[in-house]
Amino acid sequence: MKQDRILIIGAGGQIGAVLTEALREVYQPDHVIAADLRALSPQDGPTEILDALDGAALEEIVKKWRITQIYHLAAILSANGEKNPLWAWDINMRSLFNVLEISRQRQLAKVYFPSSIAVFGREASHHNTPQYEVLIPETVYGISKVAGENWANYYYRRYGLDVRSLRYPGIVGYQSMPGGGTTDYAVDIYHYAVQNKPYECFLSAHTRLPMLYMPDAIRATLELMEAPSNHLSVRTSYNLASMSFTPEEVTASIRKSIPSFKITHKPDFRQAIADSWPASIDDSAARADWGWKPEFDLDTMTVDMLKHLEVQYRNEE
Ligand code: NAD
Ligand code: AKB
């Protein structure tokens, strides 16, 4: 087992909950500290209550557990951020600065900070959006991710801090619920389908967005963090791709297993956000530098999602 001591901030979120479990399989479980604003279930390893805006509290936890790596997942996502832009900016940026500063001061070995396809805006190429593309995001969330990527790059070049980052597409998983994003429909839709409920989608039928299944997202994160530093040519954030689909296509995929599934569309403010994002992503830098290769496509993801959710809902009865 690896000896590093890991702090995950935002461990109670959609990705954090699954990443914590995965890290506890690679590292000693009691060396993987799960932290969030609210108390987390302590059954599989240590937990801390932490507001990442509190730099002194963060420092205490880093010292207490002799942390060597931080995974900083806490953020306000695209849709929630638009409801209160200054609040979202404050949380996303101030928490990142606290993480970068403590990591620099205590010379931590590595830091992980996820970015997003939200860094792109309508000026970027819509299809196969390249790694190095004009970045004019239209949400406060996207602006904070562009700024965060540049600060990550700055800390790497100026201080040698080994910060690594991926631009996740929308993440789909059965283990946890998403928290206020524009791609959330692609998780919700499966929950409605397995419960035989009709789903009202907040995006139009033809809105194509890049998506990634949770097991691929977790593997990509672990592989990036394991890659030799001198293989990494991108120190802002790597484009990462797997599949792209529309609500109409995911509905067709679900209907292969649940033919009676019904969907209607009532686009809301999230439609404009989705329209400003790419339909597909060019991730050739990630493939070339550290061997990224996704395993799941839309249909294999659908089969796996439905299988797991059916068990979950059956167990709840
Ligand atoms: P989420 O909203 O599900 O989880 C975020 C977690 O951070 C929550 O548990 C929340 O309580 C916690 N948090 C918020 N403010 C905090 C604070 N001040 N201190 C400590 N914890 C705080 O988000 P997620 O979907 O798990 O996303 C994790 C990261 O991945 C984010 O940085 C997000 O931008 C990025 N990302 C996610 C997706 C996706 O589709 N889920 C896509 C692209 C990028
Ligand atoms: C969101 O929709 O805000 C996130 C993301 C793609 O960053 N899922």
Side-chain angles (χ1 to χ4, degrees):
M1 282 232 153
K2 296 177 188 294
Q3 290 309 308
D4 275 278
R5 291 166 167 267
I6 316 271
L7 174 63
I8 306 161
I9 304 174
Q14 186 201 3
I15 299 172
V18 190
L19 184 62
T20 301
E21 265 186 44
L23 285 166
R24 285 182 176 151
E25 281 169 17
V26 179
Y27 297 89
Q28 267 181 243
D30 59 341
H31 285 184
V32 177
I33 319 306
D36 207 297
L37 281 175
R38 57 190 166 82
L40 301 169
S41 150
Q43 61 206 15
D44 303 322
T47 63
E48 290 278 1
I49 296 178
L50 170 68
D51 181 349
L53 300 183
D54 184 344
L58 172 62
E59 185 170 11
E60 275 310 300
I61 289 173
V62 168
K63 280 188 194 161
K64 173 180 165 187
W65 294 99
R66 291 182 285 125
I67 295 300
T68 59
Q69 296 187 19
I70 298 182
Y71 287 67
H72 177 46
L73 303 181
I76 305 303
L77 274 68
S78 58
N80 276 353
E82 291 313 285
K83 294 175 189 160
N84 194 340
L86 297 187
W87 165 77
W89 172 260
D90 186 47
I91 291 178
N92 292 1
M93 295 315 299
R94 205 142 53 90
S95 64
L96 178 63
F97 281 126
N98 284 341
V99 168
L100 292 174
E101 268 303 284
I102 193 74
S103 303
R104 175 185 73 80
Q105 288 162 9
R106 298 192 66 82
Q107 300 184 322
L108 265 52
K110 285 178 198 165
V111 175
Y112 179 72
F113 153 74
S115 184
S116 162
I117 54 165
V119 294
F120 300 111
R122 72 188 70 202
E123 283 79 7
S125 334
H126 197 60
H127 295 282
N128 269 337
T129 311
Q131 176 67 47
Y132 293 107
E133 178 56 298
V134 58
L135 300 179
I136 310 180
E138 294 176 25
T139 59
V140 66
Y141 171 66
I143 299 172
S144 74
K145 290 296 185 187
V146 173
E149 288 186 3
N150 281 296
W151 278 107
N153 188 51
Y154 180 87
Y155 270 72
Y156 173 70
R157 289 186 197 276
R158 173 90 200 265
Y159 304 117
L161 182 65
D162 191 354
V163 192
R164 303 179 180 200
S165 179
L166 297 173
R167 288 174 180 157
Y168 291 135
I171 307 295
V172 181
Y174 57 86
Q175 301 95 327
S176 46
M177 293 306 284
T182 302
T183 58
D184 295 8
Y185 92 84
V187 178
D188 295 342
I189 194 169
Y190 288 103
H191 285 262
Y192 279 76
V194 292
Q195 296 178 86
N196 293 313
K197 291 182 181 165
Y199 180 61
E200 184 179 88
C201 183
F202 57 76
L203 297 182
S204 71
H206 302 295
T207 307
R208 183 174 301 283
L209 287 170
M211 300 280 181
L212 179 65
Y213 195 34
M214 186 69 85
D216 276 339
I218 299 300
R219 188 170 50 78
T221 308
L222 300 183
E223 285 176 5
L224 172 73
M225 292 301 276
E226 282 303 309
S229 180
N230 61 2
H231 288 200
L232 304 182
S233 64
V234 177
R235 285 297 181 162
T236 48
S237 188
Y238 277 97
N239 275 7
L240 189 71
S242 162
M243 60 190 104
S244 285
F245 56 78
T246 65
E248 186 175 56
E249 287 165 352
V250 66
T251 300
S253 181
I254 290 170
R255 281 185 182 148
K256 289 178 188 168
S257 304
I258 309 176
S260 59
F261 176 57
K262 289 192 175 49
I263 184 166
T264 52
H265 299 268
K266 195 175 174 194
D268 65 15
F269 73 101
R270 289 169 282 193
Q271 184 67 49
I273 299 176
D275 288 343
S276 74
W277 289 353
S280 59
I281 298 285
D282 174 356
D283 62 355
S284 45
R287 290 175 189 253
D289 287 4
W290 45 277
W292 163 242
K293 194 167 181 288
E295 281 177 4
F296 286 87
D297 61 16
L298 173 56
D299 280 339
T300 51
M301 175 177 82
T302 296
V303 168
D304 204 57
M305 280 293 286
L306 294 176
K307 183 181 82 184
H308 283 97
L309 288 178
E310 272 159 16
V311 173
Q312 269 179 33
Y313 281 101
R314 204 176 314 127
N315 289 344
E316 277 173 21
E317 278 169 12

